[in-house]
Amino acid sequence: MKVLRNTEEDGYLDQAMIDGSLRIEVVKVTQYPPLNEQFFRRQFDLRFALAYARDIGLSNVVRKVQSRLAERVRNERCIVAGLGRVIESRDPSIILGSLVPFIASDSGPPSERYVVRRELIGDPWRGEVPYNLPEIWQVVRADTAKDDPDISGIAGWHGYSGSPWLLSKHEVEATVDRALKTRGRPTICAYSRSPVTERTETARESGLTIFGYGNYVKTIVIPQLGKRIPVRCVHEIDPWQIGRNRNKLWSWDTSPDLRPDEHPDIVVIASFHHTHASIAVEAIERGARAVIIEKPIVTTSVDLERLCAAVEKYGTPVFAAFQRRYSPFNQYIFDDLRIRPGEPVSCFSIAYEVPLPPQHWYRWPNSGSRIISNGCHWIDHFLYLNNFSPTRQVAAVPMGEASIFIRISLENEAVLSLSLTHEGSPRLGVREHCEFRANGVTATVTDAKNYISESARGVIRKARVHRFSAYRRMYRSMCEDIVAGANGDSLQSLGQSTFSVLAAEAAMRDAANRPAGQFHLGL
């Protein structure tokens, strides 16, 4: 399909049709000013780049820069409101060819075709119909959205967010009517000659089927996994994220799910967090050879039950991509603290995460809090070191707007004390200080790359590794296990880790709803 940026650009994939949606061909729309609060956007800063290069290496910095530059089209987010003709519908009450008012509240640059949920569409248009020459569509650019409270109120709303849609059908129609009266000289665009295209094909019959094509996938997952197992297909719902310059060796698909005729080989799930479980279960039931799930594993207890039931029934190897399980420091911790599997290792950690943009998808109700999105890393690592001992007690308390305090005790007497915060310097991204204690010995890991252990008699060991070494070890180990036909992670590890994360999430919600002045950790 065509996209209007500074000029018309053809060659983008179409959005995939989903239940409860219509495909609309644009007749005339108004584009409201860009939405600038959804994604991380950093202006190039040489000092910042040099600091990162010293920390993670020049090649990794180059890869990150290339990834961010490739997201420029995706970042041109805006609201589009106007008229279009229905060209595809799964709703028998909708007549194909109908001219309807619609709103795309989270659009990339204006496009000639949209897939729009039913609640964002009004009844067939009865107002004035804009004059169009055959085979053209029009875009008018509005100077501001501030004068229209309805437009401002829906800015950035996404159908996957879990937030309610705020406008009624009649309000959608009124909003479009106001949008069409926006003054300005329209940009005239010609329809592309290409048919609706949601996916491209590849000759590869095996390899990785990846869900999600965000920065992490482009800079970590594909460089590490892809050099051992070829990429077969990338599912990414956002055509503006995929772009025009696609790798021709891969299949590309904007469907959020596996196609009815799709039988994947190895599935990697790095999509919106709340979709992980459903994609994993579907892949398992379709006979996938293995499934790799990026964090978090699931976001609800119902999804955890579904996933565990599928793994138990089909025996498909499932791997949780928690890289701290693969840190070279783990063996040092076991050796220096003189602990055997299952013996208690207590952990006291402070973790800093870069503040999220105000409308970032991690903030969606469906994504859960920072405990699910990020805190799961440290909770899982603590449980891994304790051989996934059952959880005894869990507490979590929000400490103002910037911080969360989590405390977990296990049946083997180990204790986790974790402080998550986004208050501080973003210069080097995620920062962490973790102390592991047992048998009179303390091992300290800083920023996943520096290690020191000490007892009352002095320093036992010092070590330093590359910050990404755990990722490399993790994906190499997963590839070797998949090729060898080995089992994936145990049901105990999947269940216990996720249960503890969900318990901490529930505890924080309870604490947030507690009357002011009441503070109780429950331990």
Side-chain angles (χ1 to χ4, degrees), residues 256-269:
D257 306 303
L258 290 168
R259 298 280 181 175
D261 61 348
E262 191 173 2
H263 298 281
D265 179 25
I266 301 164
V267 176
V268 182
I269 304 171

Side-chain angles (χ1 to χ4, degrees), residues 124-157:
W125 189 245
R126 297 179 180 178
E128 183 180 350
V129 177
Y131 174 73
N132 264 16
L133 293 172
E135 304 302 318
I136 69 165
W137 51 291
Q138 304 179 46
V139 178
V140 177
R141 290 186 168 96
D143 294 329
T144 180
K146 295 179 181 178
D147 297 335
D148 192 321
D150 287 336
I151 289 292
S152 300
I154 61 171
W157 183 88

Side-chain angles (χ1 to χ4, degrees), residues 64-339:
K64 281 181 173 289
V65 171
Q66 290 174 332
S67 171
R68 292 303 186 192
L69 289 175
E71 293 174 341
R72 286 177 293 184
V73 179
R74 178 207 68 171
N75 290 346
E76 294 177 22
R77 238 47 191 184
C78 63
I79 302 173
V80 168
L83 298 177
R85 297 196 183 277
V86 179
I87 60 174
E88 187 177 352
S89 172
R90 296 179 180 175
D91 185 344
S93 67
I94 302 296
I95 300 175
L96 295 184
S98 298
L99 183 68
V100 294
F102 75 96
I103 298 174
S105 56
D106 183 30
S107 171
S111 305
E112 67 173 323
R113 293 188 288 264
Y114 284 96
V115 170
V116 185
R117 292 175 182 262
R118 188 66 182 88
E119 59 265 37
L120 279 68
I121 297 172
D123 286 334
W125 189 245
R126 297 179 180 178
E128 183 180 350
V129 177
Y131 174 73
N132 264 16
L133 293 172
E135 304 302 318
I136 69 165
W137 51 291
Q138 304 179 46
V139 178
V140 177
R141 290 186 168 96
D143 294 329
T144 180
K146 295 179 181 178
D147 297 335
D148 192 321
D150 287 336
I151 289 292
S152 300
I154 61 171
W157 183 88
H158 198 289
Y160 284 83
S161 68
S163 298
W165 174 247
L166 299 177
L167 302 183
S168 68
K169 184 195 306 183
H170 298 301
E171 288 170 327
V172 168
E173 294 167 358
T175 300
V176 169
D177 186 55
R178 294 192 297 273
L180 293 173
K181 294 175 182 177
T182 300
R183 294 184 178 181
R185 184 173 183 176
T187 301
I188 307 300
C189 307
Y191 292 121
S192 68
R193 297 180 180 274
S194 59
V196 171
T197 305
E198 298 179 354
R199 61 175 171 171
T200 63
E201 300 294 342
T202 179
R204 288 178 178 168
E205 297 183 355
S206 63
L208 303 174
T209 295
I210 302 175
F211 283 84
Y213 193 57
N215 185 62
Y216 179 79
V217 167
K218 289 182 284 186
T219 61
I220 300 292
V221 174
I222 290 177
Q224 295 301 322
L225 278 178
K227 65 184 179 183
R228 296 178 174 88
I229 301 174
V231 176
R232 180 184 180 277
C233 178
V234 175
H235 282 257
E236 168 55 57
I237 68 170
D238 190 336
W240 305 286
Q241 170 77 299
I242 295 174
R244 296 190 298 168
N245 300 317
R246 302 182 290 271
N247 189 317
K248 304 300 182 184
L249 297 177
W250 309 344
S251 171
W252 295 87
D253 197 331
T254 56
S255 172
D257 306 303
L258 290 168
R259 298 280 181 175
D261 61 348
E262 191 173 2
H263 298 281
D265 179 25
I266 301 164
V267 176
V268 182
I269 304 171
S271 51
F272 294 138
H273 294 164
H274 70 286
T275 67
H276 287 191
S278 59
I279 295 172
V281 170
E282 181 71 15
I284 290 169
E285 292 175 345
R286 295 276 188 97
R289 181 159 47 127
V291 177
I292 298 172
I293 308 177
E294 297 295 332
K295 61 86 179 176
I297 306 304
V298 302
T299 57
T300 69
S301 57
V302 172
D303 282 345
L304 176 59
E305 292 176 5
R306 289 178 57 224
L307 177 62
C308 289
V311 173
E312 190 168 26
K313 179 178 180 179
Y314 293 93
T316 304
V318 173
F319 299 87
F322 288 115
Q323 80 276 4
R324 285 170 178 78
R325 296 184 185 183
Y326 299 83
S327 169
F329 295 152
N330 291 337
Q331 191 59 52
Y332 298 163
I333 292 171
F334 291 139
D335 293 344
D336 296 347
L337 273 60
R338 304 188 305 278
I339 51 175

